[in-house]
């Protein structure tokens, strides 16, 4: 039986088949006699050359059909044709074996004609042929690109998938070096990988390389490259094999997830509108595009809601965040913060204003979008910009602004996936911008409230020149309950106050306002510092009873100090507050030794007053704990630091405002973790020549003496024009003291920017102003005093009380104006 190996009839014997498959050879002469017989032929059929040579070749054929097929083949061969076939041959041991033959006509050197016969086991050859066909089919039909290079990295074979995905259209790859710029993939990376594989023999698996298909708008692709070395049976290198797997979808999904994660972690953590916008721009470049900007409504920057889109010219957007920043920003585009102009009624702007993301995938769409609005191109189209996405910052039903991303350098265009990604990022960023906007609005309102609650930063009184500073925690991001105050008291005295309410935010600010108001009210009663803190402690207890319903814990520290410029003494008490520092006129700095009481709200423990002398020109520094509590959490180290800086910045001849600013600036660049309140007061003294003091017994005759003494002193001061009114005041006050309080009776006149008259007596009964009826013989004294003076009042002392009055240094009203 004979026949071809496959349908083509000659595939099994075509040129180029491995010689190992046809090892046996023989030469048959013109008449069909075997003349040569190889050792391989002896191994194939078992006959030795001696047994076969000289015998007809047809005797080796097993059947008649085989003989006829052989004779027909020889006849074709005589006509100059090759003949290949499979015949049954007899083995020496008697069995029949199927042998594949290749018969070629030959002529030896002597001119004798014959046939060269090569033979091999037909079963083995058929299996090898099937294997070769299957391998060829696998190589050609494998859906992923496969490329084979020789040992010099020249392309030898590419399957169909590789030709479509890797090579340029019309490129001839066979014989070209992999480093030649003929591929869509990164040729340089492939060359390095193949050289490494060829030199080390170690395969490379799953190496990501950039690439792109032959056509289409989406040209950015990613391939997973694997390469291994090809060797022959002797381990001699033959070349390398590369396989490519398209991992674009997974790569993009991973990159998008990374970008979303980065956006979620890096946008909106600061509650600052401008910084949030810049964070969004920084996330998008270069991860998504080459140029990006974030434009916000001007109202958003102020913390307000943006205006509704009512028509053209209603949307004023200011570019706040741009990328790349600095010198890398395209020169033709408006810079950050440039005042915006009214935008026209453009279709794209209307779509964005309605919350839609707009995709311009190519240059043609960009040109079409700008048609009819050429004035917009310099504002919105960067040089070489060929593809763009614009998405609204849409949050809680409000369009806060837009984010625009352009591609100018990279050739790939934006696709719908990119637009969807930007929409999601913009949606998340919009919430961050809106949170920052709302925080800005609330913070602005809270800061305005706190500024209204704090006193004037500077005061100038006969007792002291003062300057106050307040720095919110977090560099202005958090308001709190720290406060300072300067309260002008009668008789030219001044009260210096510093306090710190626990907590931050509006609750702490509101509590601070209530406590400051309470201190102002209690100061009007002219209580001693320790007694004032006791009353303030009671108020905090009352606030604590309200706190459970409000969810807050109320507590505070407070320092209350009263400086008297006549005696040059300062009396103070502390409720858990740091002690003040005093900078003497010679530049030395000391901490006042005090006995601090408990925090306000603790209750059950007394407050102790401390009195010390102050030289005129001394600077008293009262402050809250935020000034000394820094990152080291060491108040002693903070107090030493403050002392050193006060000695450096607040020495003799230095202005208080400049000293305070330098001091706070020197405490560190990082935002403070707690509020800082600082009050600096440079003390003054009333000249002893501007005071006069007398003491009288409790006798009605002393009233005239008191009037004469006052008139004489006013004459010496050159205040004759107010002498008459002062004599009336002295007469009424001394008369009341003699009549109702007893002696001794003290009187003091103090000249400053006003004239102060004080009368003290041993009684603890407070005077009371009332309107006398027409039939009453008395009761008009205090009423008359109230009409003749600017203000009057009374305060308790340790030995009784003091009634004081203030009147201008000039007589600016007529007695006829006084009501009867």
């Amino acid at each position: 039986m004979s026949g071809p190996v496959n349908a083509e009839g000659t595939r099994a014997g075509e040129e180029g088949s491995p010689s190992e498959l046809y090892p046996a050879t023989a030469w048959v002469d013109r008449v069909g006699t075997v003349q040569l017989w190889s050792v391989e032929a002896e191994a194939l059929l078992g006959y030795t050359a001696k047994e076969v040579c000289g015998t007809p070749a047809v005797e080796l054929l097993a059947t008649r059909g085989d003989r006829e097929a052989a004779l027909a083949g020889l006849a074709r061969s005589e006509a100059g044709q090759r003949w290949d076939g499979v015949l049954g041959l007899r083995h020496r041991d008697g069995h029949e074996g199927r042998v594949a033959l290749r018969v070629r006509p030959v002529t030896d050197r002597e001119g004798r004609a014959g046939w060269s016969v090569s033979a091999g086991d037909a079963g083995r050859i058929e299996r090898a042929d099937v294997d070769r066909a299957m391998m060829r089919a696998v190589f050609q039909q494998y859906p992923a690109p496969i490329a084979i290079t020789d040992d010099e990295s020249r392309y030898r074979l590419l399957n169909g998938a590789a030709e479509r995905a890797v090579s340029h259209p019309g490129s001839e790859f066979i014989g070209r070096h992999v480093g030649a710029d003929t591929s869509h993939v990164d040729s340089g990376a492939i060359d390095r990988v193949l050289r490494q594989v060829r030199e080390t023999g170690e395969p490379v698996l799953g190496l990501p390389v950039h690439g792109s298909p032959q056509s289409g708008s989406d040209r950015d692709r990613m391939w997973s490259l694997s390469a291994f070395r090809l060797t022959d049976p002797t381990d001699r290198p033959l070349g390398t094999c590369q396989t490519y797997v398209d991992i674009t979808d997974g790569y993009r999904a991973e990159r998008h997830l990374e970008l979303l994660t980065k956006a979620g972690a890096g946008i909106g953590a600061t509650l600052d509108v401008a910084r949030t916008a810049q964070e969004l721009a920084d996330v998008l470049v270069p991860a998504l595009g080459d140029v990006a900007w974030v434009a916000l409504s001007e109202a958003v920057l102020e913390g307000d809601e943006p205006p509704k889109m009512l028509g053209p010219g209603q949307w004023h957007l200011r570019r706040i965040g741009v990328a790349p920043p600095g010198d890398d920003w395209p020169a033709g585009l408006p810079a950050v913060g440039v005042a915006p102009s009214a935008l026209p009624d453009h279709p794209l702007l209307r779509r964005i204003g309605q919350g839609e993301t707009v995709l311009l995938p190519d240059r043609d769409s960009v040109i079409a979008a700008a048609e009819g609005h050429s004035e917009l191109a310099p504002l919105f189209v960067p040089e070489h910009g060929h593809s763009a996405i614009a998405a609204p910052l849409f949050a809680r039903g409000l369009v806060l602004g837009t984010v625009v991303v352009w591609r100018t350098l990279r050739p790939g265009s934006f696709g719908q996936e990119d637009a969807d990604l930007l929409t999601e990022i913009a949606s998340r960023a919009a919430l961050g911008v809106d949170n920052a906007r709302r925080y800005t609005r609330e913070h602005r309102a809270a800061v305005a409230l706190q500024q209204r609650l704090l006193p004037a930063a500077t005061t100038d009184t006969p007792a002291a020149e003062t300057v106050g500073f307040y720095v919110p925690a977090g560099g202005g991001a958090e308001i709190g309950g720290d406060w300072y105050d300067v309260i002008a008291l009668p008789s030219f005295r001044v009260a210096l106050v510093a306090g710190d309410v626990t907590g931050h935010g509006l609750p702490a600010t509101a509590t601070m306002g209530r406590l400051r108001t309470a201190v102002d009210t209690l100061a009007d009663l002219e209580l001693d510092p320790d007694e004032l803190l006791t009353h303030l402690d009671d108020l905090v207890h009352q606030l604590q009873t309200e706190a459970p319903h409000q969810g807050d814990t109320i507590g505070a520290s407070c320092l209350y100090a009263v400086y008297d410029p006549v005696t040059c003494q300062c009396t103070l008490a502390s409720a858990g507050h740091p002690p003040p520092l005093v900078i003497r006129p010679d530049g030395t700095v000391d901490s006042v030794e005090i006995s601090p009481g408990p925090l306000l709200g603790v209750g059950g423990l007394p407050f102790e007053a401390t009195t010390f002398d102050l030289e005129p020109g001394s600077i008293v520094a009262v402050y809250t704990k935020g000034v000394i509590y820094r990152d080291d959490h060491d108040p002693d180290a903070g107090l030493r630091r403050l002392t050193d800086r006060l000695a450096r910045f607040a020495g003799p001849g230095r202005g208080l405002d400049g000293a305070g600013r330098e001091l706070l600036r020197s405490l560190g660049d990082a935002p403070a973790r707690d509020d800082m309140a600082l009050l600096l007061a440079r003390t003054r003294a009333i000249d002893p020549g501007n005071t006069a003091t007398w003491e009288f017994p409790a006798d009605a005759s002393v009233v005239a003496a008191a009037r004469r003494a006052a008139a004489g002193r006013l004459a010496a001061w050159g205040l004759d024009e107010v002498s008459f009114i002062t004599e009336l005041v002295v007469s009424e006050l001394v008369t009341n003291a003699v009549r109702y309080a007893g002696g001794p009776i003290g009187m003091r006149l103090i000249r400053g920017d006003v004239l102060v008259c004080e009368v003290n007596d041993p009684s603890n009964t407070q005077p009371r102003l009332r309107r006398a009826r027409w039939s009453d013989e008395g009761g008009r004294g205090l009423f008359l005093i109230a009409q003749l003076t600017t203000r009057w009042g009374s305060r308790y002392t340790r030995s009784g009380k003091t009634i004081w009055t203030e009147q201008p240094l000039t007589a600016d009203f007529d007695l006829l104006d006084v009501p009867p």
Side-chain angles (χ1 to χ4, degrees):
M1 181 176 180
S2 65
V5 172
N6 53 34
E8 296 179 359
T10 60
R11 177 67 68 115
E14 69 181 6
E15 294 295 330
S17 298
S19 60
E20 291 84 359
L21 298 178
Y22 294 86
T25 58
W27 186 71
V28 179
D29 62 17
R30 186 75 176 173
V31 297
T33 302
V34 178
Q35 297 297 331
L36 292 175
W37 189 258
S38 68
V39 176
E40 290 79 8
E42 180 178 344
L44 179 63
L45 294 179
Y47 298 103
T48 65
K50 184 178 181 180
E51 293 175 317
V52 175
C53 289
T55 63
V58 295
E59 293 183 358
L60 296 174
L61 300 174
T63 65
R64 180 178 178 179
D66 292 328
R67 294 188 183 95
E68 292 175 353
L71 292 175
L74 291 176
R76 289 197 299 272
S77 179
E78 286 180 350
Q81 299 180 15
R82 299 184 305 176
W83 178 77
D84 296 341
V86 177
L87 301 177
L89 273 66
R90 289 183 295 103
H91 195 272
R92 191 173 187 278
D93 60 8
H95 76 272
E96 178 184 344
R98 291 178 55 78
V99 178
L101 301 175
R102 297 196 311 176
V103 180
R104 306 288 184 271
V106 295
T107 302
D108 64 9
R109 295 178 180 178
E110 298 177 359
R112 293 177 298 179
W115 292 272
S116 171
V117 181
S118 298
D121 183 88
R124 179 186 175 193
I125 293 174
E126 288 178 353
R127 290 192 300 272
D129 227 18
V130 171
D131 291 345
R132 188 181 300 111
M134 292 180 64
M135 290 299 297
R136 184 178 294 108
V138 168
F139 183 80
Q140 291 296 335
Q141 299 174 22
Y142 188 68
I146 302 177
I148 294 177
T149 59
D150 59 19
D151 58 353
E152 295 183 1
S153 295
R154 294 189 298 259
Y155 283 108
R156 303 300 300 174
L157 287 173
L158 285 86
N159 68 349
E163 291 177 353
R164 292 188 298 271
V166 178
S167 63
H168 288 287
S171 298
E172 179 56 48
F173 257 45
I174 304 303
R176 298 289 297 271
H177 192 275
V178 296
D181 188 18
T182 56
S183 173
H184 283 297
V185 295
D186 188 348
S187 300
I190 296 176
D191 187 22
R192 291 191 299 271
V193 169
L194 296 187
R195 186 164 55 248
Q196 173 186 335
V197 171
R198 188 172 61 250
E199 293 174 355
T200 65
E202 297 293 331
V204 172
L205 303 176
L207 177 68
V209 294
H210 287 279
S212 57
Q214 298 179 9
S215 61
S217 59
D218 186 9
R219 302 177 57 192
D220 190 14
R221 310 294 294 178
M222 182 62 65
W223 301 93
S224 175
L225 168 65
S226 297
F228 57 93
R229 189 167 65 178
L230 301 175
T231 60
D232 64 8
T234 63
D235 205 29
R236 181 174 62 88
L238 299 177
T240 57
C241 178
Q242 313 155 48
T243 63
Y244 297 85
V245 177
D246 190 343
I247 59 172
T248 303
D249 292 342
Y251 176 78
R252 286 180 178 173
E254 182 179 354
R255 297 288 293 177
H256 287 182
L257 181 60
E258 290 178 359
L259 190 55
L260 285 173
T261 302
K262 182 179 179 181
I267 299 176
T270 60
L271 290 178
D272 181 271
V273 174
R275 184 176 297 182
T276 301
Q278 184 60 50
E279 289 167 350
L280 173 57
D282 292 338
V283 164
L284 297 175
V285 176
L288 188 62
D290 303 312
V291 175
W293 67 78
V294 179
L296 300 176
S297 171
E298 289 190 297
V300 172
L301 300 176
E302 300 298 326
D304 299 325
E305 291 187 357
K308 301 297 186 293
M309 295 291 291
L310 300 178
Q314 298 297 313
W315 208 10
H316 293 265
L317 300 179
R318 186 184 295 271
R319 288 183 187 176
I320 302 303
V322 298
D327 296 338
D328 295 330
W329 177 249
L333 292 179
V336 175
V338 173
S341 57
L343 298 178
D345 187 17
H346 192 282
L348 288 182
L349 296 179
R350 287 199 303 269
R351 292 168 60 187
I352 296 173
Q354 295 168 359
E356 179 182 348
T357 297
V358 176
L359 170 64
L360 302 177
D362 49 41
R363 187 71 179 178
D364 292 338
S365 61
V366 173
I367 296 175
E371 185 176 359
H373 295 277
S374 58
E375 74 280 2
L376 295 180
L379 301 176
F380 294 98
V381 182
E383 186 179 5
H384 308 304
H386 62 84
S387 183
I389 314 175
L393 295 174
F394 189 79
R396 300 181 179 95
L398 300 173
V399 177
L400 309 175
T402 63
V403 54
V404 181
V405 186
W406 280 90
R407 283 187 176 172
T408 59
L409 302 177
R410 66 186 76 183
S413 299
F414 288 119
Q416 188 58 47
E417 290 183 0
D418 299 313
D420 295 340
L421 175 63
L422 181 60
T423 300
E424 186 169 356
I425 293 176
S427 177
R428 298 185 181 186
L431 291 177
V433 171
D434 193 54
N435 287 338
R437 176 192 69 82
R438 298 169 70 185
Y439 173 80
T440 299
R441 180 186 62 193
E442 300 300 329
H443 181 259
R444 183 179 59 183
V447 169
L449 171 63
Q450 189 173 51
Q451 289 176 345
R452 298 298 187 275
L453 294 175
L454 288 174
T458 61
T459 65
D460 194 352
T461 67
E465 168 198 2
T466 67
V467 176
F469 303 90
Y470 172 76
V471 180
E478 301 178 17
I479 61 171
D482 288 22
W483 89 93
Y484 64 86
D485 205 350
V486 179
I487 305 172
L489 299 176
S491 305
F492 302 108
R493 295 170 304 143
V494 65
L496 307 177
V497 188
D500 184 0
V501 177
T502 57
H504 292 90
L506 282 177
T509 302
T511 302
M512 178 268 285
R514 299 178 71 174
L515 293 184
R516 178 172 177 253
T517 302
V519 172
D520 286 347
T521 303
L522 295 172
D524 283 342
L525 299 178
E526 300 190 66
L527 302 175
D528 288 338
D530 52 342
E531 187 177 358
L532 183 142
L533 291 182
T534 301
H535 287 285
L536 195 62
D537 184 53
D538 293 337
L539 173 62
V540 174
H541 274 290
Q542 180 181 345
L543 296 178
Q544 287 176 344
T545 61
E546 303 172 2
H549 305 289
Q550 302 173 355
D552 297 321
T553 300
I554 304 298
S557 67
C558 184
L559 177 76
Y560 184 81
V562 176
Y563 171 68
D564 188 341
V566 176
T567 63
C568 293
Q569 287 186 328
C570 181
T571 302
L572 61 84
S574 168
H577 204 83
L581 296 176
V582 176
I583 303 96
R584 305 290 180 183
D586 60 2
T588 59
V589 182
D590 297 316
S591 176
V592 179
E593 296 292 336
I594 63 174
S595 299
L599 290 172
L600 297 175
V602 173
L605 295 174
F607 299 99
E608 185 174 339
T610 301
T611 300
F612 58 96
D613 294 328
L614 275 177
E615 302 173 61
S618 299
I619 297 176
V620 180
V622 295
Y623 52 89
T624 57
K625 67 178 184 297
V627 176
I628 59 174
Y629 278 64
R630 312 306 292 175
D631 291 336
D632 53 13
H633 302 288
D634 187 348
D636 294 333
L639 186 59
R640 290 192 298 269
R641 184 166 48 243
L642 177 61
T643 301
D644 294 340
R645 282 160 175 72
L646 280 172
R648 185 190 314 170
F649 300 122
R654 296 292 301 273
L656 294 183
D657 185 74
R661 296 183 186 280
E662 289 290 336
L663 187 150
L664 293 176
R665 189 180 300 115
S666 70
L667 292 178
D669 297 330
R673 294 187 177 183
D674 197 3
D675 297 25
M676 293 191 295
L678 173 67
L679 178 63
L680 300 178
R682 178 176 278 122
T683 62
R684 294 167 175 159
I686 300 294
D687 189 335
N690 288 331
T691 64
T693 304
W694 300 270
E695 186 172 297
F696 304 102
D699 189 283
S701 61
V702 302
V703 175
R707 293 178 62 173
R708 286 193 301 271
R713 177 57 64 178
L714 292 178
W717 286 340
L719 299 177
D720 294 311
E721 60 179 316
V722 299
S723 178
F724 180 71
I725 296 175
T726 305
E727 288 183 52
L728 287 178
V729 171
V730 168
S731 177
E732 291 294 335
L733 293 180
V734 174
T735 299
N736 285 342
V738 171
R739 182 177 300 173
Y740 301 110
I745 299 170
M747 186 177 73
R748 182 171 68 170
L749 293 179
I750 309 173
R751 182 180 67 170
D753 54 354
V754 294
L755 179 64
V756 174
C757 177
E758 296 179 343
V759 174
N760 55 73
D761 59 57
S763 172
N764 289 324
T765 302
Q766 279 281 11
R768 188 162 52 88
L769 180 65
R770 66 186 180 89
R771 183 179 292 272
R773 291 173 295 183
W774 67 270
S775 60
D776 291 342
E777 295 182 359
R780 295 177 177 84
L782 289 181
F783 180 78
L784 182 63
I785 289 174
Q787 301 303 315
L788 295 176
T789 60
T790 305
R791 63 173 183 159
W792 71 279
S794 172
R795 63 175 176 271
Y796 288 110
T797 64
R798 296 186 182 278
S799 59
K801 67 176 181 296
T802 297
I803 301 176
W804 56 267
T805 65
E806 288 182 3
Q807 62 188 89
L809 299 180
T810 59
D812 56 356
F813 59 87
D814 196 316
L815 284 177
L816 296 177
D817 296 329
V818 179

